[in-house]
mmCIF file of all heavy atoms in Angstrom:
data_model
loop_
_atom_site.group_PDB
_atom_site.id
_atom_site.type_symbol
_atom_site.label_atom_id
_atom_site.label_comp_id
_atom_site.label_asym_id
_atom_site.label_seq_id
_atom_site.Cartn_x
_atom_site.Cartn_y
_atom_site.Cartn_z
ATOM 1 N N GLU A 70 -56.316 33.244 54.636
ATOM 2 C CA GLU A 70 -56.679 33.286 53.227
ATOM 3 C C GLU A 70 -58.126 32.954 53.075
ATOM 4 O O GLU A 70 -58.631 32.008 53.678
ATOM 5 C CB GLU A 70 -55.818 32.357 52.442
ATOM 6 C CG GLU A 70 -54.299 32.776 52.394
ATOM 7 C CD GLU A 70 -53.520 31.890 51.495
ATOM 8 O OE1 GLU A 70 -54.094 30.985 50.867
ATOM 9 O OE2 GLU A 70 -52.294 32.069 51.481
ATOM 10 N N ASN A 71 -58.836 33.668 52.175
ATOM 11 C CA ASN A 71 -60.215 33.353 51.903
ATOM 12 C C ASN A 71 -60.325 32.237 50.866
ATOM 13 O O ASN A 71 -59.483 32.055 50.009
ATOM 14 C CB ASN A 71 -60.936 34.588 51.337
ATOM 15 C CG ASN A 71 -61.058 35.676 52.372
ATOM 16 O OD1 ASN A 71 -61.244 35.377 53.538
ATOM 17 N ND2 ASN A 71 -60.987 36.929 51.958
ATOM 18 N N SER A 72 -61.382 31.458 51.004
ATOM 19 C CA SER A 72 -61.602 30.379 50.075
ATOM 20 C C SER A 72 -62.382 30.930 48.854
ATOM 21 O O SER A 72 -63.390 31.555 49.012
ATOM 22 C CB SER A 72 -62.428 29.227 50.720
ATOM 23 O OG SER A 72 -62.935 28.391 49.729
ATOM 24 N N LEU A 73 -61.824 30.721 47.646
ATOM 25 C CA LEU A 73 -62.530 31.254 46.461
ATOM 26 C C LEU A 73 -63.897 30.669 46.316
ATOM 27 O O LEU A 73 -64.876 31.369 45.999
ATOM 28 C CB LEU A 73 -61.654 30.900 45.213
ATOM 29 C CG LEU A 73 -62.270 31.298 43.866
ATOM 30 C CD1 LEU A 73 -62.476 32.813 43.796
ATOM 31 C CD2 LEU A 73 -61.346 30.802 42.731
ATOM 32 N N LEU A 74 -64.051 29.338 46.552
ATOM 33 C CA LEU A 74 -65.334 28.697 46.410
ATOM 34 C C LEU A 74 -66.329 29.284 47.405
ATOM 35 O O LEU A 74 -67.507 29.568 47.000
ATOM 36 C CB LEU A 74 -65.214 27.190 46.592
ATOM 37 C CG LEU A 74 -66.495 26.364 46.409
ATOM 38 C CD1 LEU A 74 -67.064 26.558 45.021
ATOM 39 C CD2 LEU A 74 -66.219 24.918 46.708
ATOM 40 N N SER A 75 -65.998 29.433 48.664
ATOM 41 C CA SER A 75 -66.915 29.946 49.658
ATOM 42 C C SER A 75 -67.259 31.398 49.337
ATOM 43 O O SER A 75 -68.446 31.807 49.578
ATOM 44 C CB SER A 75 -66.332 29.839 51.062
ATOM 45 O OG SER A 75 -65.197 30.649 51.219
ATOM 46 N N ASP A 76 -66.352 32.198 48.804
ATOM 47 C CA ASP A 76 -66.663 33.565 48.519
ATOM 48 C C ASP A 76 -67.684 33.633 47.386
ATOM 49 O O ASP A 76 -68.675 34.417 47.436
ATOM 50 C CB ASP A 76 -65.411 34.340 48.050
ATOM 51 C CG ASP A 76 -64.487 34.674 49.231
ATOM 52 O OD1 ASP A 76 -64.970 34.511 50.375
ATOM 53 O OD2 ASP A 76 -63.339 35.059 48.984
ATOM 54 N N ILE A 77 -67.521 32.846 46.350
ATOM 55 C CA ILE A 77 -68.481 32.790 45.215
ATOM 56 C C ILE A 77 -69.835 32.290 45.710
ATOM 57 O O ILE A 77 -70.906 32.847 45.360
ATOM 58 C CB ILE A 77 -67.952 31.866 44.098
ATOM 59 C CG1 ILE A 77 -66.653 32.468 43.515
ATOM 60 C CG2 ILE A 77 -68.974 31.687 42.984
ATOM 61 C CD1 ILE A 77 -65.955 31.534 42.536
ATOM 62 N N PHE A 78 -69.805 31.221 46.549
ATOM 63 C CA PHE A 78 -71.050 30.624 47.064
ATOM 64 C C PHE A 78 -71.806 31.661 47.852
ATOM 65 O O PHE A 78 -73.036 31.822 47.742
ATOM 66 C CB PHE A 78 -70.701 29.399 47.906
ATOM 67 C CG PHE A 78 -71.869 28.678 48.439
ATOM 68 C CD1 PHE A 78 -72.788 28.030 47.635
ATOM 69 C CD2 PHE A 78 -72.060 28.601 49.815
ATOM 70 C CE1 PHE A 78 -73.873 27.391 48.156
ATOM 71 C CE2 PHE A 78 -73.151 27.977 50.363
ATOM 72 C CZ PHE A 78 -74.078 27.336 49.505
ATOM 73 N N ARG A 79 -71.148 32.360 48.776
ATOM 74 C CA ARG A 79 -71.821 33.332 49.646
ATOM 75 C C ARG A 79 -72.373 34.524 48.850
ATOM 76 O O ARG A 79 -73.391 35.101 49.187
ATOM 77 C CB ARG A 79 -70.879 33.769 50.766
ATOM 78 C CG ARG A 79 -70.722 32.736 51.836
ATOM 79 C CD ARG A 79 -69.671 33.036 52.834
ATOM 80 N NE ARG A 79 -69.659 32.048 53.910
ATOM 81 C CZ ARG A 79 -68.555 31.682 54.531
ATOM 82 N NH1 ARG A 79 -67.366 32.170 54.206
ATOM 83 N NH2 ARG A 79 -68.640 30.793 55.525
ATOM 84 N N ALA A 80 -71.681 34.883 47.787
ATOM 85 C CA ALA A 80 -72.195 35.981 46.939
ATOM 86 C C ALA A 80 -73.497 35.572 46.254
ATOM 87 O O ALA A 80 -74.409 36.398 46.148
ATOM 88 C CB ALA A 80 -71.124 36.320 45.867
ATOM 89 N N GLN A 81 -73.585 34.314 45.880
ATOM 90 C CA GLN A 81 -74.837 33.792 45.292
ATOM 91 C C GLN A 81 -75.945 33.722 46.360
ATOM 92 O O GLN A 81 -77.109 34.022 46.102
ATOM 93 C CB GLN A 81 -74.574 32.431 44.683
ATOM 94 C CG GLN A 81 -73.674 32.445 43.461
ATOM 95 C CD GLN A 81 -74.267 33.293 42.292
ATOM 96 O OE1 GLN A 81 -75.457 33.230 42.006
ATOM 97 N NE2 GLN A 81 -73.413 34.146 41.710
ATOM 98 N N LEU A 82 -75.566 33.295 47.573
ATOM 99 C CA LEU A 82 -76.540 33.170 48.669
ATOM 100 C C LEU A 82 -77.193 34.453 49.010
ATOM 101 O O LEU A 82 -78.366 34.558 49.352
ATOM 102 C CB LEU A 82 -75.918 32.560 49.887
ATOM 103 C CG LEU A 82 -75.583 31.049 49.859
ATOM 104 C CD1 LEU A 82 -74.912 30.620 51.142
ATOM 105 C CD2 LEU A 82 -76.724 30.176 49.569
ATOM 106 N N ALA A 83 -76.370 35.530 48.911
ATOM 107 C CA ALA A 83 -76.886 36.854 49.320
ATOM 108 C C ALA A 83 -78.064 37.293 48.459
ATOM 109 O O ALA A 83 -78.854 38.169 48.849
ATOM 110 C CB ALA A 83 -75.784 37.902 49.204
ATOM 111 N N LYS A 84 -78.228 36.713 47.260
ATOM 112 C CA LYS A 84 -79.311 37.052 46.371
ATOM 113 C C LYS A 84 -80.565 36.224 46.641
ATOM 114 O O LYS A 84 -81.616 36.500 46.041
ATOM 115 C CB LYS A 84 -78.844 36.842 44.912
ATOM 116 C CG LYS A 84 -77.607 37.604 44.579
ATOM 117 C CD LYS A 84 -77.157 37.251 43.125
ATOM 118 C CE LYS A 84 -75.835 37.917 42.759
ATOM 119 N NZ LYS A 84 -75.384 37.534 41.405
ATOM 120 N N MET A 85 -80.428 35.206 47.506
ATOM 121 C CA MET A 85 -81.549 34.329 47.735
ATOM 122 C C MET A 85 -82.396 34.750 48.873
ATOM 123 O O MET A 85 -82.155 35.749 49.576
ATOM 124 C CB MET A 85 -81.000 32.912 47.936
ATOM 125 C CG MET A 85 -80.250 32.313 46.757
ATOM 126 S SD MET A 85 -79.690 30.648 47.082
ATOM 127 C CE MET A 85 -78.850 30.292 45.544
ATOM 128 N N ASP A 86 -83.447 33.919 49.257
ATOM 129 C CA ASP A 86 -84.331 34.248 50.344
ATOM 130 C C ASP A 86 -83.664 33.998 51.666
ATOM 131 O O ASP A 86 -82.545 33.463 51.772
ATOM 132 C CB ASP A 86 -85.667 33.512 50.219
ATOM 133 C CG ASP A 86 -85.520 31.966 50.283
ATOM 134 O OD1 ASP A 86 -84.468 31.518 50.856
ATOM 135 O OD2 ASP A 86 -86.421 31.265 49.770
ATOM 136 N N TYR A 87 -84.351 34.310 52.764
ATOM 137 C CA TYR A 87 -83.774 34.212 54.133
ATOM 138 C C TYR A 87 -83.240 32.831 54.435
ATOM 139 O O TYR A 87 -82.126 32.690 54.936
ATOM 140 C CB TYR A 87 -84.846 34.610 55.128
ATOM 141 C CG TYR A 87 -84.388 34.468 56.598
ATOM 142 C CD1 TYR A 87 -83.565 35.371 57.159
ATOM 143 C CD2 TYR A 87 -84.772 33.326 57.309
ATOM 144 C CE1 TYR A 87 -83.129 35.251 58.497
ATOM 145 C CE2 TYR A 87 -84.376 33.164 58.640
ATOM 146 C CZ TYR A 87 -83.522 34.138 59.219
ATOM 147 O OH TYR A 87 -83.114 33.989 60.515
ATOM 148 N N ASN A 88 -84.010 31.752 54.150
ATOM 149 C CA ASN A 88 -83.605 30.432 54.519
ATOM 150 C C ASN A 88 -82.413 29.930 53.721
ATOM 151 O O ASN A 88 -81.606 29.163 54.208
ATOM 152 C CB ASN A 88 -84.788 29.451 54.368
ATOM 153 C CG ASN A 88 -85.812 29.669 55.435
ATOM 154 O OD1 ASN A 88 -85.517 29.814 56.587
ATOM 155 N ND2 ASN A 88 -87.083 29.729 55.034
ATOM 156 N N ASN A 89 -82.314 30.349 52.481
ATOM 157 C CA ASN A 89 -81.207 29.881 51.658
ATOM 158 C C ASN A 89 -79.887 30.567 51.998
ATOM 159 O O ASN A 89 -78.817 29.970 51.963
ATOM 160 C CB ASN A 89 -81.532 30.131 50.133
ATOM 161 C CG ASN A 89 -82.242 28.955 49.545
ATOM 162 O OD1 ASN A 89 -81.796 27.780 49.698
ATOM 163 N ND2 ASN A 89 -83.346 29.204 48.864
ATOM 164 N N LYS A 90 -79.988 31.879 52.370
ATOM 165 C CA LYS A 90 -78.748 32.597 52.618
ATOM 166 C C LYS A 90 -78.306 32.604 54.076
ATOM 167 O O LYS A 90 -77.268 33.099 54.467
ATOM 168 C CB LYS A 90 -78.869 34.027 52.141
ATOM 169 C CG LYS A 90 -79.813 34.904 52.951
ATOM 170 C CD LYS A 90 -79.922 36.310 52.379
ATOM 171 C CE LYS A 90 -80.849 37.209 53.187
ATOM 172 N NZ LYS A 90 -80.986 38.541 52.595
ATOM 173 N N ASN A 91 -79.145 31.964 54.897
ATOM 174 C CA ASN A 91 -78.931 32.008 56.350
ATOM 175 C C ASN A 91 -77.960 30.913 56.784
ATOM 176 O O ASN A 91 -78.325 29.756 56.812
ATOM 177 C CB ASN A 91 -80.230 31.831 57.119
ATOM 178 C CG ASN A 91 -80.080 32.121 58.602
ATOM 179 O OD1 ASN A 91 -79.228 32.878 59.010
ATOM 180 N ND2 ASN A 91 -80.923 31.458 59.395
ATOM 181 N N GLU A 92 -76.727 31.263 57.076
ATOM 182 C CA GLU A 92 -75.727 30.305 57.534
ATOM 183 C C GLU A 92 -75.846 30.073 59.023
ATOM 184 O O GLU A 92 -76.421 30.892 59.745
ATOM 185 C CB GLU A 92 -74.312 30.791 57.243
ATOM 186 C CG GLU A 92 -73.904 30.790 55.752
ATOM 187 C CD GLU A 92 -72.449 31.014 55.575
ATOM 188 O OE1 GLU A 92 -71.618 30.240 56.144
ATOM 189 O OE2 GLU A 92 -72.084 31.946 54.850
ATOM 190 N N ALA A 93 -75.398 28.884 59.498
ATOM 191 C CA ALA A 93 -75.519 28.519 60.882
ATOM 192 C C ALA A 93 -74.705 29.502 61.723
ATOM 193 O O ALA A 93 -73.618 29.994 61.383
ATOM 194 C CB ALA A 93 -74.962 27.144 61.094
ATOM 195 N N GLN A 94 -75.310 29.903 62.878
ATOM 196 C CA GLN A 94 -74.674 30.767 63.818
ATOM 197 C C GLN A 94 -74.570 30.057 65.179
ATOM 198 O O GLN A 94 -75.308 29.063 65.445
ATOM 199 C CB GLN A 94 -75.519 32.033 64.023
ATOM 200 C CG GLN A 94 -75.421 32.988 62.841
ATOM 201 C CD GLN A 94 -76.025 34.369 63.182
ATOM 202 O OE1 GLN A 94 -77.130 34.405 63.796
ATOM 203 N NE2 GLN A 94 -75.395 35.430 62.861
ATOM 204 N N PRO A 95 -73.673 30.489 66.032
ATOM 205 C CA PRO A 95 -73.607 29.866 67.385
ATOM 206 C C PRO A 95 -74.981 29.993 68.118
ATOM 207 O O PRO A 95 -75.719 30.958 67.916
ATOM 208 C CB PRO A 95 -72.555 30.734 68.093
ATOM 209 C CG PRO A 95 -71.722 31.320 67.023
ATOM 210 C CD PRO A 95 -72.683 31.538 65.879
ATOM 211 N N ASP A 96 -75.257 29.000 68.937
ATOM 212 C CA ASP A 96 -76.494 29.037 69.729
ATOM 213 C C ASP A 96 -76.454 30.183 70.720
ATOM 214 O O ASP A 96 -75.381 30.560 71.210
ATOM 215 C CB ASP A 96 -76.700 27.703 70.478
ATOM 216 C CG ASP A 96 -77.006 26.560 69.530
ATOM 217 O OD1 ASP A 96 -77.431 26.824 68.388
ATOM 218 O OD2 ASP A 96 -76.823 25.422 69.946
ATOM 219 N N ILE A 97 -77.606 30.693 71.046
ATOM 220 C CA ILE A 97 -77.743 31.669 72.110
ATOM 221 C C ILE A 97 -78.682 31.076 73.176
ATOM 222 O O ILE A 97 -79.737 30.554 72.844
ATOM 223 C CB ILE A 97 -78.360 32.995 71.574
ATOM 224 C CG1 ILE A 97 -77.288 33.697 70.737
ATOM 225 C CG2 ILE A 97 -78.772 33.881 72.705
ATOM 226 C CD1 ILE A 97 -76.056 34.172 71.504
ATOM 227 N N GLY A 98 -78.257 31.176 74.437
ATOM 228 C CA GLY A 98 -79.046 30.690 75.524
ATOM 229 C C GLY A 98 -79.947 31.705 76.139
ATOM 230 O O GLY A 98 -79.582 32.930 76.176
ATOM 231 N N TYR A 99 -81.112 31.320 76.552
ATOM 232 C CA TYR A 99 -82.117 32.210 77.199
ATOM 233 C C TYR A 99 -82.313 31.815 78.638
ATOM 234 O O TYR A 99 -82.857 30.732 78.870
ATOM 235 C CB TYR A 99 -83.400 32.275 76.415
ATOM 236 C CG TYR A 99 -83.237 32.797 75.015
ATOM 237 C CD1 TYR A 99 -83.278 31.902 73.924
ATOM 238 C CD2 TYR A 99 -83.056 34.112 74.773
ATOM 239 C CE1 TYR A 99 -83.077 32.366 72.612
ATOM 240 C CE2 TYR A 99 -82.887 34.635 73.478
ATOM 241 C CZ TYR A 99 -82.920 33.753 72.406
ATOM 242 O OH TYR A 99 -82.735 34.239 71.127
#
């Protein structure tokens, strides 16, 4: 099940700049 709060929050983030809408991702090793 999706969280209502997280869905609303992410919809708002999508309208913001790169740093605001950028959620944490797994690290990548080089």
Side-chain angles (χ1 to χ4, degrees):
E70 294 184 3
N71 292 326
S72 166
L73 176 61
L74 182 59
S75 65
D76 286 348
I77 296 172
F78 181 65
R79 285 171 174 146
Q81 293 297 317
L82 288 180
K84 303 174 184 178
M85 297 183 180
D86 62 23
Y87 175 79
N88 287 315
N89 271 310
K90 69 182 181 181
N91 190 29
E92 289 192 55
Q94 288 189 315
D96 291 340
I97 288 295
Y99 297 105

